[in-house]
Amino acid sequence: MILIVDSGATKADWIALDEKGEQLFLTQTLGLSPEVLTKAVIEDRLANNFELSKNKEKVTRLYFYGAGCGTDRMKKFLKEIFSDFFPNAKAEVKEDTYAAIFSTTKIGHQGIVCILGTGSNCSYYDGHQLFQKVTSLGYIPMDDGSGNFFGRKLIRDYYFHKMPQDLAMKFAKGYDLDADVIKENLYKQPNPNTYLATFARFLVENKDHPYCKGVIDKGFQQFVNNYIMQFELATKVPINFVGSIAHYLKEELITVLKRNDLIVGVIRQRPIEGLVEFHKETI
């Protein structure tokens, strides 16, 4: 059995294939980001999934693409956990950027591949190799244009009284904005980046409001300036995206890309389908 996994900070999609490439099952767990989760939490999320627990000894190959897997230390950390949970599997761990590349860009083709989901990232793919000019420092100083970036912006504007009154009242009705609740989730609970990203739904639902339009436009322009424009071929190759923010704010994203003379490529909510097709070709 072959397991293919695309894990963001919020959730992880798992697809199992047999040796002929036929799908056996599809399941989902909470995200398994090694940068923000302990070994115990990751093990618990694996063990609490029925399909994974039932089939763990049948797995022979595991291809895991995940947020927070950009360093050798984090890859080793996850491989050790997978080795214990899937005793017969050979595990390969790559950062989620590779999932974005393999699901949007054909081997041999050039492109810039971006992630805009709970977090954000951007890489150049020359058709064979991945190149990054920005080393991610995580959600606190970086992640421009992401769900947690927009969530942080909304909370700050609400507390600094910069959000229009009509929208602020609506925002307060939809979320528990008590200071103690926010601080509890940010500083004491796991996955503070995922918590921040939950507020981005408000931005999507109210994207036609002038304030929200401005926040979205400035956030995407900041992503373009800081991430995409670092590459010399930025205006010469397609710009591809994966992630919920790119998907749900697709029209707004395209507007910003075109304004910067960038070529709009593939925009996909989740890369798992493309990953399956990629690995089927190698079975």
Side-chain angles (χ1 to χ4, degrees):
M1 181 185 295
I2 301 165
L3 273 181
I4 301 168
V5 193
D6 170 47
S7 175
T10 305
K11 59 183 179 298
D13 293 314
W14 302 67
I15 288 183
L17 306 177
D18 63 20
E19 297 301 323
K20 295 182 179 180
E22 296 298 319
Q23 182 174 316
L24 297 173
F25 66 81
L26 169 67
T27 190
Q28 192 174 85
T29 65
L30 293 174
L32 304 180
S33 176
E35 286 186 333
V36 296
L37 299 177
T38 64
K39 179 182 179 182
V41 170
I42 293 174
E43 289 174 337
D44 186 61
R45 291 184 178 184
L46 293 172
N48 284 333
N49 182 279
F50 174 75
E51 292 288 358
L52 297 182
S53 294
K54 184 178 71 171
N55 295 286
K56 62 182 182 179
E57 294 184 359
K58 298 177 184 178
V59 180
T60 56
R61 280 176 285 173
L62 170 64
Y63 299 99
F64 184 91
Y65 302 86
C69 298
T71 66
D72 290 338
R73 185 170 65 88
M74 291 295 97
K75 291 174 186 176
K76 182 175 182 291
F77 173 69
L78 277 182
K79 279 186 177 182
E80 290 175 351
I81 294 174
F82 292 148
S83 178
D84 291 338
F85 191 81
F86 302 105
N88 302 312
K90 180 179 179 181
E92 184 175 313
V93 177
K94 291 182 179 290
E95 61 181 310
D96 52 354
T97 302
Y98 281 94
I101 289 172
F102 294 155
S103 68
T104 61
T105 312
K106 292 183 179 180
I107 294 177
H109 291 243
Q110 298 180 73
I112 290 175
V113 182
C114 309
I115 297 172
L116 281 179
T118 298
S120 66
N121 208 337
C122 180
S123 305
Y124 169 70
Y125 182 63
D126 70 354
H128 303 283
Q129 293 185 43
L130 165 72
F131 299 91
Q132 287 187 317
K133 285 201 172 185
V134 178
T135 299
S136 177
L137 297 177
Y139 75 98
I140 295 176
M142 292 187 169
D143 276 2
D144 295 358
S146 69
N148 77 70
F149 171 90
F150 286 128
R152 185 167 61 248
K153 169 67 174 173
L154 291 174
I155 292 174
R156 283 174 56 85
D157 281 5
Y158 177 82
Y159 265 87
F160 282 123
H161 308 293
K162 292 184 177 181
M163 186 180 289
Q165 187 63 27
D166 63 320
L167 206 62
M169 292 175 63
K170 192 174 183 180
F171 190 46
K173 288 182 179 179
Y175 297 89
D176 189 341
L177 298 177
D178 180 79
D180 287 335
V181 171
I182 292 174
K183 287 187 283 187
E184 170 73 20
N185 280 279
L186 290 181
Y187 304 116
K188 295 184 179 180
Q189 296 300 319
N191 297 88
N193 55 334
T194 302
Y195 168 72
L196 285 171
T198 61
F199 293 96
R201 187 185 78 246
F202 182 81
L203 201 64
V204 174
E205 293 172 348
N206 297 277
K207 64 180 184 178
D208 292 329
H209 190 285
Y211 163 84
C212 294
K213 283 184 178 180
V215 169
I216 294 166
D217 189 83
K218 289 178 182 178
F220 284 159
Q221 186 62 56
Q222 187 169 318
F223 180 83
V224 168
N225 293 343
N226 290 338
Y227 288 79
I228 296 175
M229 289 304 186
Q230 297 250 1
F231 297 104
E232 294 178 1
L233 294 176
T235 60
K236 307 297 182 183
V237 300
I239 315 296
N240 302 317
F241 290 84
V242 298
S244 56
I245 294 297
H247 173 74
Y248 288 113
L249 296 175
K250 182 177 180 178
E251 293 179 6
E252 292 75 12
L253 178 59
I254 290 175
T255 296
V256 174
L257 294 176
K258 290 184 175 179
R259 186 173 68 221
N260 288 272
D261 296 321
L262 298 172
I263 302 169
V264 180
V266 176
I267 299 177
R268 190 193 296 270
Q269 181 177 2
R270 297 188 298 174
I272 190 68
E273 295 88 358
L275 277 178
V276 169
E277 294 306 314
F278 172 81
H279 281 288
K280 278 185 177 180
E281 295 177 2
T282 63
I283 292 176

